[in-house]
Amino acid sequence: MGGELWKLNDTQLMAETLAISADIHALQVQRVDLIIAMVERDTVKEHDYCSPAHWLAAATHLEIGECQRITSLAQLLRLEPEVRAAYSAGLLDAEKARQIAYFCQHYPTTMNPCDFTKARTILLDHASQNIATKATVRALIHRLEHLFGTGDGPPPGEDTDRNALFVSTTLRGRIVIKADLDAVTGARLRHLLSPLAAPRPETNGITDDRPASKRHADAFAQLLHLVETTGVVPVEGGVTPTCRSPRRSTTSPPLLR
């Protein structure tokens, strides 16, 4: 269509935009379906890739983080057919589908099957409305967790069984860390990082201009060093683990030669 857009009136422009948006969603659904099939067949392992995300990043111009979001959505929807059906029908976008599917996999232990089914229906009905946003879906999930967090099981904020820590290596050798921790564990981590992440005192008129994210990353590195130097780190394979920086290659990448 490109250079002929001037021929379209306002109504046609809006109609074409909506049509293209629907096509994009349909293709995204198809991509998720294909990745689900790849996961079930363990396809990429036969081609020496450790995950579909790493294969997708290597075969496209997508960043590894985006590929991991795509594949993690596929893995969640594979386990939640009701949410997958709503996503495939265009009732949910990817982020709302992710939120609801994640809740369905980590719902409060105090929920009985009937309550869980009702909660999932409420979430799907709300998320399918045009007024719904990621924030409103997240707020509704928090309300459900609070409502069912007062029974025999621990409330979500105290449920250590829901703790998860993901550590993955990017194509460039960097490490990406993502965690979902209970309130106590999270508070312990913050308590340890807080003094190490404080801005450095001003020296000779020079202030510490590191953003909070950089200060926390530096603090985490210091914390690892402190743990290693105490000598209390468990031994693995007869060797106490240490954190060494990888050697830099002296060979230039092909594009820089």
Side-chain angles (χ1 to χ4, degrees):
M1 189 173 292
E4 298 187 359
L5 293 178
W6 63 272
K7 295 181 179 180
L8 301 179
N9 60 35
D10 292 351
T11 301
Q12 291 170 325
L13 282 173
M14 291 187 289
E16 286 295 327
T17 300
L18 292 178
I20 292 296
S21 298
D23 289 343
I24 291 173
H25 181 79
L27 289 172
Q28 289 174 332
V29 168
Q30 186 176 1
R31 179 171 60 185
V32 165
D33 290 342
L34 290 168
I35 291 176
I36 289 174
M38 291 171 63
V39 169
E40 292 175 342
R41 299 182 190 180
D42 205 12
T43 303
V44 298
K45 293 291 180 65
E46 298 180 2
H47 297 273
D48 298 326
Y49 289 97
C50 60
S51 72
H54 286 84
W55 165 78
L56 188 59
T60 67
H61 293 294
L62 296 174
E63 292 285 340
I64 183 64
E66 176 64 16
C67 294
Q68 288 171 333
R69 282 190 289 273
I70 294 168
T71 56
S72 66
L73 174 62
Q75 290 167 332
L76 281 170
L77 295 183
R78 174 174 174 261
L79 301 174
E80 296 299 330
E82 291 83 1
V83 184
R84 181 180 177 182
Y87 174 65
S88 298
L91 300 176
L92 309 174
D93 63 20
E95 289 307 311
K96 296 187 189 73
R98 184 192 310 278
Q99 287 177 302
I100 298 174
Y102 186 85
F103 168 81
C104 291
Q105 285 293 301
H106 302 85
Y107 62 89
T109 56
T110 54
M111 269 189 175
N112 60 46
C114 182
D115 288 332
F116 167 72
T117 301
K118 290 180 180 178
R120 183 180 60 204
T121 300
I122 290 172
L123 287 169
L124 290 174
D125 288 347
H126 173 74
S128 63
Q129 299 175 21
N130 288 337
I131 60 172
T133 65
K134 289 191 299 182
T136 61
V137 173
R138 183 167 56 248
L140 184 53
I141 288 174
H142 287 168
R143 287 175 60 189
L144 289 168
E145 290 177 333
H146 178 73
L147 179 63
F148 289 93
T150 57
D152 296 333
E158 300 174 14
D159 190 354
T160 57
D161 288 339
R162 300 175 62 171
N163 287 0
L165 177 66
F166 304 94
V167 181
S168 59
T169 304
T170 71
L171 293 178
R172 297 181 180 178
R174 296 187 62 81
I175 303 297
V176 176
I177 300 175
K178 182 179 179 180
D180 180 4
L181 305 173
D182 65 275
V184 174
T185 303
R188 291 168 61 196
L189 178 60
R190 287 189 172 189
H191 177 73
L192 291 173
L193 290 176
S194 181
L196 301 174
R200 300 186 186 111
E202 182 176 329
T203 305
N204 298 325
I206 300 176
T207 59
D208 186 354
D209 59 356
R210 293 175 300 163
S213 58
K214 180 65 168 68
R215 286 190 282 108
H216 279 91
D218 292 343
F220 187 68
Q222 285 183 266
L223 183 61
L224 293 177
H225 176 71
L226 291 172
V227 171
E228 290 171 343
T229 55
T230 60
V232 297
V233 180
V235 172
E236 181 179 17
V239 179
T240 299
T242 58
C243 295
R244 296 189 178 92
S245 299
R247 295 181 179 178
R248 293 184 179 273
S249 172
T250 56
T251 305
S252 300
L255 293 177
L256 300 180
R257 290 176 185 169

